[in-house]
Amino acid sequence: MESHTNNENKIKDDVKDSLKSVVLFTKSSSCSNIRGRLSGQQLPMWVQGVLLYNSPCAGWKNSSSHWMDGLSMMSSFGIHKRGLDISYTKKTLRSEESNRENTTETPVPVDTSEGNAVSIYEPTTQTRFNGGFKKLPSFEKNMEIKDNCNSAFYHFGDLVMATHESAFDRVVDPDFLETRDLIDMSHLFCLKSAVPLKDHNGDYYNLAASMVTGNKYHFIKFKRPSSEVIYGSNNFPSETKFVATIPSRFPGHIGYFHTFGMTDNYLIFCEQPLAYQVDKLKRHKSEGKSFRDCLEWIPQERNHFHIVDKKSGRSLEMNYTTDRPYFFFNFVNCYESGGHLVVDIWSTMGLNQSKIMRFVLPLNYTDEGINLNPSQWGDATAIRRNEIINLLPSVLTRDAGMENPRINPYFNFRRYNYTYVVGWIHGMNPKNPYSNAITKIDVESSVMTSWKTDNEDEHPSEIVFVPNPAWTTEDDGILISCVSNARNGPGSYLVFINARNMQEVARVHFDEAIPFGVHTHFIQRFL
């Protein structure tokens, strides 16, 4: 009898979670200048500007078969007068892909179930190499990669751009969300990271890949924008420099990457055993497939770190290899410390098993057969055997199942203590310790402090950390998150949290749904 009751409860939970995911992942409609209602305290004067949130929830008709292939629905929140004046605008990005979608009346079902949403991390095919390298066909320049730009935003000078992992970006107006110029970089590369990094001197770097003359990765530098130049599609990107090129070690494949790492002096790329099959990538759109359908898992391979000197473009010759295969998605932060590179990265070893791991890569490696890392790095060891340094990580989080780690931007590429995470898609499971919460993690002690939503139907987005300009500690700032409601769309709201004690400062309600999305971006504007 008890077993029967448990089965009934499990079925009810599965149905409830399925309904929840259907609401979160369904098409969202546009709105303009919806006024918000502030409850709680007024915000600090320095929390003013525009919060942008990118989501693939603008709908799917013709060529999408997975949530992450959906059209971009952009959200913009104008935050003024210490929170007393907050407005919400939501629009579809007018990409060439969305124009094509609007000309067809034949819908194609999109798998938006919780299981498949989570499975953006889970490749469907395993590949084993039999040795030898096949001659690759020429990569067609007219390969149709979508310009949905549905993942993130970044700004370069006066340009604000929606971006994704393709060679295309779209200039958008951050206040009114009007779609402007297409930035086409397909003459430089085919794929790129969705998260370019801004150096402390203002230069931008990104990781890209090309497949025209062999499968290669490229580190690219975009010289810092000039305040005297008005940028547009006619002059961006300008002064572009290929810092380094790294050949893929996989025959017929190019490794998947979403982000990369950077320190004051080095660029860090990890080639992982999750890789695009290049022939499938060429045909994916004509066959109605998503990017995910082109990914293959290569279980006998390990992750290889490549370290490039930012000034010289020289790659360190040592082969840094992990102890086992991991799937890496988001770099949390990287920094230099005493002749070592500390690389903190979001990793998973299975469904809902994501944790933050620390790899410590020694830059001086003459000795063999001993741990080259000081004891201060704990379980993060590095042992050289011939021309290979075998890396074991230190696990920084006790519980698994988090996503979208963010830190105080003042501490990018610096030694730091805190990162802030959410459950994101893993949070569809209410038993996940990060579900319905924003969690502060001390990466040195693994101590966690959380702010929780009111109920399990509310799902916070990736946070933005707005630092106090007069900061005295690393966690002196305000976190902002968009909270989507899985059962009652108009029950969505913005929440503002004290980053030090994780107490809610205020929230702003709108009579309009906030679509569940991917990355956030904040443009600070205050005098």
Side-chain angles (χ1 to χ4, degrees):
M1 182 67 179
E2 182 178 351
S3 175
H4 178 71
T5 302
N6 289 339
N7 287 336
E8 281 189 340
N9 289 336
K10 184 179 186 304
I11 292 172
K12 289 178 181 178
D13 288 342
D14 289 344
V15 170
K16 181 171 65 175
D17 292 343
S18 177
L19 290 172
K20 180 187 297 185
S21 66
V22 166
V23 173
L24 281 177
F25 300 125
T26 48
K27 178 178 178 178
S28 185
S29 58
S30 298
C31 67
S32 181
N33 202 32
I34 302 296
R35 314 307 292 183
R37 301 182 303 278
L38 178 73
S39 62
Q41 304 174 37
Q42 291 188 23
L43 303 176
M45 288 295 296
W46 39 269
V47 183
Q48 293 193 75
V50 178
L51 174 68
L52 297 172
Y53 188 28
N54 207 338
S55 166
C57 286
W60 318 264
K61 287 183 181 179
N62 185 35
S63 58
S64 301
S65 58
H66 190 272
W67 180 62
M68 288 299 293
D69 269 359
L71 303 177
S72 171
M73 175 60 75
M74 305 178 291
S75 294
S76 172
F77 302 88
I79 303 171
H80 310 286
K81 297 181 180 179
R82 303 188 65 182
L84 297 176
D85 179 10
I86 297 185
S87 60
Y88 176 31
T89 295
K90 180 174 45 167
K91 287 185 181 179
T92 302
L93 185 141
R94 297 300 176 188
S95 62
E96 293 180 12
E97 184 67 22
S98 69
N99 292 336
R100 282 192 290 267
E101 296 283 2
N102 290 331
T103 62
T104 180
E105 297 180 357
T106 305
V108 174
V110 178
D111 191 347
T112 58
S113 64
E114 175 188 348
N116 199 46
V118 175
S119 69
I120 61 173
Y121 305 131
E122 302 299 322
T124 55
T125 306
Q126 290 193 352
T127 298
R128 292 191 179 275
F129 294 150
N130 296 319
F133 286 79
K134 299 177 182 178
K135 184 177 180 181
L136 290 172
S138 298
F139 196 79
E140 297 175 2
K141 289 188 177 181
N142 62 352
M143 185 189 79
E144 293 185 294
I145 293 180
K146 300 173 185 178
D147 65 335
N148 289 342
C149 301
N150 60 11
S151 181
F153 292 97
Y154 71 102
H155 63 278
F156 182 92
D158 54 348
L159 289 185
V160 175
M161 285 170 281
T163 186
H164 190 41
E165 293 171 354
S166 74
F168 304 109
D169 290 340
R170 275 282 179 179
V171 179
V172 298
D173 181 316
D175 299 294
F176 302 102
L177 296 181
E178 297 298 331
T179 304
R180 294 180 176 169
D181 294 348
L182 172 69
I183 304 295
D184 183 354
M185 294 176 276
S186 60
H187 61 291
L188 298 174
F189 47 78
C190 302
L191 303 170
K192 69 178 187 313
S193 164
V195 188
L197 296 179
K198 183 180 179 181
D199 209 344
H200 289 295
N201 68 356
D203 292 335
Y204 284 77
Y205 290 85
N206 210 343
L207 176 65
S210 65
M211 289 145 275
V212 177
T213 58
N215 302 332
K216 302 171 184 176
Y217 312 98
H218 311 280
F219 276 119
I220 300 177
K221 174 183 175 181
F222 302 92
K223 187 176 179 180
R224 61 182 175 273
S226 169
S227 59
E228 299 177 355
V229 176
I230 298 176
Y231 291 94
S233 59
N234 62 327
N235 62 356
F236 178 84
S238 61
E239 298 189 68
T240 304
K241 177 182 178 182
F242 279 69
V243 178
T245 294
I246 302 166
S248 171
R249 75 180 191 271
F250 302 133
H253 290 71
I254 194 81
Y256 173 80
F257 54 89
H258 182 67
T259 57
F260 63 100
M262 186 166 77
T263 68
D264 286 343
N265 296 295
Y266 298 98
L267 299 164
I268 304 162
F269 163 56
C270 186
E271 187 177 38
Q272 60 183 334
L274 180 66
Y276 287 114
Q277 212 285 343
V278 173
D279 284 341
K280 288 183 179 180
L281 195 60
K282 291 197 312 184
R283 304 190 307 267
H284 81 283
K285 187 171 181 181
S286 62
E287 295 179 354
K289 302 291 182 64
S290 73
F291 268 21
R292 176 183 172 273
D293 296 319
C294 306
L295 291 170
E296 296 179 348
W297 182 248
I298 310 169
Q300 76 277 15
E301 293 288 337
R302 301 291 185 263
N303 303 60
H304 288 209
F305 285 96
H306 296 270
I307 302 173
V308 173
D309 185 290
K310 285 161 70 173
K311 291 182 179 179
S312 69
R314 182 181 65 87
S315 296
L316 272 62
E317 296 179 358
M318 184 53 64
N319 189 348
Y320 297 89
T321 305
T322 59
D323 59 314
R324 52 157 294 165
Y326 298 93
F327 169 54
F328 292 157
F329 197 55
N330 284 310
F331 280 73
V332 182
N333 198 23
C334 303
Y335 59 90
E336 300 168 30
S337 178
H340 293 74
L341 296 184
V342 179
V343 179
D344 292 351
I345 195 165
W346 179 100
S347 175
T348 184
M349 294 179 288
L351 200 61
N352 289 327
Q353 294 301 310
S354 59
K355 292 189 174 184
I356 295 175
M357 297 182 179
R358 171 168 290 172
F359 293 87
V360 180
L361 284 59
L363 299 175
N364 303 310
Y365 38 72
T366 54
D367 295 328
E368 293 194 37
I370 62 171
N371 181 16
L372 299 173
N373 292 340
S375 59
Q376 72 183 87
W377 303 118
D379 295 334
T381 61
I383 299 176
R384 178 179 177 179
R385 301 191 188 282
N386 298 319
E387 298 307 309
I388 296 176
I389 293 181
N390 293 297
L391 302 171
L392 273 72
S394 173
V395 179
L396 303 183
T397 50
R398 292 191 295 262
D399 296 319
M402 88 291 290
E403 239 296 6
N404 288 334
R406 294 290 293 269
I407 70 170
N408 181 339
Y410 290 171
F411 285 76
N412 285 344
F413 328 129
R414 301 284 185 264
R415 187 160 189 162
Y416 74 113
N417 277 88
Y418 306 112
T419 186
Y420 301 83
V421 302
V422 294
W424 201 53
I425 289 177
H426 296 302
M428 299 301 105
N429 176 6
K431 297 179 181 178
N432 183 306
Y434 301 96
S435 293
N436 317 111
I438 298 170
T439 301
K440 175 183 182 180
I441 300 174
D442 186 324
V443 297
E444 299 300 331
S445 67
S446 298
V447 171
M448 301 193 308
T449 310
S450 294
W451 169 89
K452 298 284 288 186
T453 64
D454 296 334
N455 60 69
E456 66 181 40
D457 296 322
E458 297 177 350
H459 297 273
S461 73
E462 172 189 68
I463 64 99
V464 292
F465 188 112
V466 184
N468 183 345
W471 64 279
T472 56
T473 61
E474 179 186 336
D475 53 1
D476 190 352
I478 295 291
L479 311 180
I480 312 176
S481 176
C482 309
V483 181
S484 300
N485 193 303
R487 293 194 181 276
N488 175 25
S492 304
Y493 56 91
L494 284 187
V495 65
F496 300 83
I497 298 169
N498 185 320
R500 183 175 296 169
N501 59 23
M502 296 303 291
Q503 296 297 306
E504 182 173 325
V505 175
R507 66 175 65 181
V508 178
H509 290 273
F510 303 93
D511 294 325
E512 181 67 36
I514 299 175
F516 192 65
V518 187
H519 288 300
T520 53
H521 181 71
F522 187 66
I523 303 171
Q524 196 167 27
R525 297 172 178 167
F526 72 95
L527 299 178

